[in-house]
Amino acid sequence: MNIDSQLSGSADRSDTRPILIVPYMWIGDFVRNHTVVRVLKERWPNRPVDLLTTSLCAPLVDYMPGVRAGLVWDLPRSRLAVARQLGLAKLLRERNYGTALVLPRTWKAAIAPALAGIPERVGFVGEFRFGLLNRWRWGEKQLPRFIDKNAALAQRDGAPLPPEWPVPQLRVPAEDIDRWRQANGLSAAAAVALAPGSVGVSKRWTSYPEAARLLAERGLEVWVVGGPAEKGLAQEIVAVGGPGVRDLTGNDLRNGVLAMAAAGVAISNDSGLMHIAAALGTPTMGIFGPTSPYLWAPLNGLAATVVQNKSVLSCQPCQSTICKMNDHRCMRDIAAAEVVGIAERVLGEKGARATT
């Protein structure tokens, strides 16, 4: 059965062959993959959907409704790793996939699905992948956002983009959150989770230490969330914020998921943890400087999108990982008091909704 006939407007309930998604492996992009899962499940409700994943992103799969399994297989970014590709191809062949959606444009991403002989291999034209893919899609550059490019591959060829995509969802059982709180010695009081890390220093708001201090002075618990790379930032924030601020950074992404699920509000740079918090339904404040909220904010919507509004910067958004103009004013000019004030309002609105 041809994929272009299956990806039509109505769901096909007769096909039960499993589908593999080969996604982008950055944390935020991986969360966005759940939109692709939801589009596929709407069209093929009886076809299991699996996600290829790295060890880092694997915990996210456990909280994604509609995903049958995550296939953990780490491939190096900088080299071909033939033996690893052959091993992955063997695993994919054993699972008898009928369709593979290859989201990245790289030729390496398409090797294992081709070697596994998956009958339908869908992806955009790019990086000399002729022969590796057999259901080509064109027009990627005309699609405005990253999510449009990915989710469009789950539609029939040539289908118009919908007015809205299904939003990513992460669902954490309440008992998991309770156990996490107990394991970390945390109360059930309202807490603010801070995510000071990001890929690229230009996306990092520099006033987290002062914001933590102001939040703690207002009697709020403050948690600093992130991975090992954020340990130094967390220690700096704790030193300024005082005893009401906890360093909850760690090696396991699951810890970050549970922290964001337990928090009353999350304050984050444009980062993977911002997408996690939003997909969990936690009121999330995204701080944007060099990147565009239109292009990179979560589909779920944010409780607040914080940008500097003191002046118009000709360089913004630059999409650069390192500031090369205006001395990082797009982030420096966002005041800690402003962010804290918004966080208090968001917490107040959440509390008001809980009592009605």
Side-chain angles (χ1 to χ4, degrees):
M1 188 180 296
N2 188 290
I3 191 171
D4 291 333
S5 65
Q6 291 179 348
L7 286 174
S8 57
S10 60
D12 183 345
R13 298 181 181 274
S14 64
D15 194 351
T16 59
R17 298 172 305 161
I19 303 170
L20 174 72
I21 300 176
V22 180
Y24 288 87
M25 297 297 183
W26 296 107
I27 292 172
D29 297 340
F30 198 89
V31 173
R32 291 180 176 212
N33 292 328
H34 194 246
T35 288
V36 183
V37 173
R38 295 189 66 188
V39 173
L40 289 172
K41 295 301 289 185
E42 287 176 0
R43 293 189 173 278
W44 290 316
N46 294 328
R47 297 186 70 178
V49 177
D50 293 350
L51 280 169
L52 188 65
T53 179
T54 59
S55 300
L56 172 63
C57 292
L60 292 168
V61 178
D62 293 341
Y63 306 112
M64 287 184 169
V67 177
R68 181 181 68 171
L71 277 63
V72 182
W73 200 269
D74 294 308
L75 292 169
R77 294 181 182 272
S78 58
R79 56 190 176 88
L80 179 57
V82 175
R84 295 290 294 167
Q85 291 280 3
L86 291 172
L88 177 57
K90 180 176 182 294
L91 175 63
L92 300 184
R93 193 179 305 113
E94 291 170 351
R95 297 181 75 89
N96 195 33
Y97 291 107
T99 301
L101 266 63
V102 182
L103 306 188
R105 298 179 73 252
T106 64
W107 63 278
K108 286 196 298 185
I111 291 174
L115 291 176
I118 296 176
E120 297 166 334
R121 305 182 300 278
V122 187
F124 283 108
V125 174
E127 277 206 2
F128 307 104
R129 299 193 292 180
F130 296 100
L132 297 178
L133 301 179
N134 59 7
R135 293 290 184 270
W136 289 100
R137 297 294 180 87
W138 301 80
E140 179 189 21
K141 292 182 179 179
Q142 281 70 52
L143 297 175
R145 299 173 300 170
F146 182 79
I147 188 58
D148 298 322
K149 303 175 193 296
N150 290 340
L153 291 177
Q155 296 185 297
R156 62 176 175 81
D157 195 4
L161 299 184
E164 294 180 350
W165 294 111
V167 299
Q169 295 176 337
L170 296 175
R171 295 178 181 167
V172 178
E175 54 269 26
D176 289 6
I177 297 174
D178 291 341
R179 284 194 294 267
W180 177 83
R181 283 183 180 274
Q182 292 171 7
N184 287 279
L186 299 169
S187 72
V192 180
L194 306 181
S198 69
V199 177
V201 295
S202 68
K203 293 194 292 183
R204 295 176 187 169
W205 184 49
T206 52
S207 295
Y208 278 105
E210 183 182 357
R213 178 182 61 79
L214 292 173
L215 289 164
E217 286 177 353
R218 287 157 171 77
L220 293 165
E221 291 188 13
V222 181
W223 306 335
V224 186
V225 185
E230 283 73 61
K231 179 61 69 175
L233 290 172
Q235 291 173 347
E236 177 186 350
I237 293 168
V238 170
V240 174
V245 183
R246 287 283 303 273
D247 174 7
L248 296 179
T249 58
N251 295 318
D252 187 354
L253 183 59
R254 191 179 307 276
N255 180 72
V257 174
L258 291 165
M260 288 303 187
V265 64
I267 303 174
S268 176
N269 302 324
D270 177 6
S271 69
L273 283 172
M274 175 185 67
H275 287 274
I276 288 173
L280 287 163
T282 298
T284 305
M285 298 168 52
I287 301 179
F288 288 84
T291 54
S292 163
Y294 170 71
L295 294 176
W296 300 109
L299 287 180
N300 308 75
L302 294 171
T305 301
V306 185
V307 296
Q308 76 84 24
N309 54 16
K310 292 182 178 179
S311 58
V312 177
L313 301 178
S314 60
C315 57
Q316 192 178 11
C318 67
Q319 312 293 347
S320 177
T321 57
I322 300 175
C323 180
K324 300 176 182 178
M325 296 178 63
N326 291 314
D327 194 26
H328 207 208
R329 282 182 57 197
C330 64
M331 294 299 248
R332 283 194 305 106
D333 286 354
I334 299 173
E338 174 189 356
V339 172
V340 169
I342 297 172
E344 288 185 303
R345 173 175 58 79
V346 171
L347 280 170
E349 291 172 352
K350 181 181 179 182
R353 286 195 300 270
T355 58
T356 58

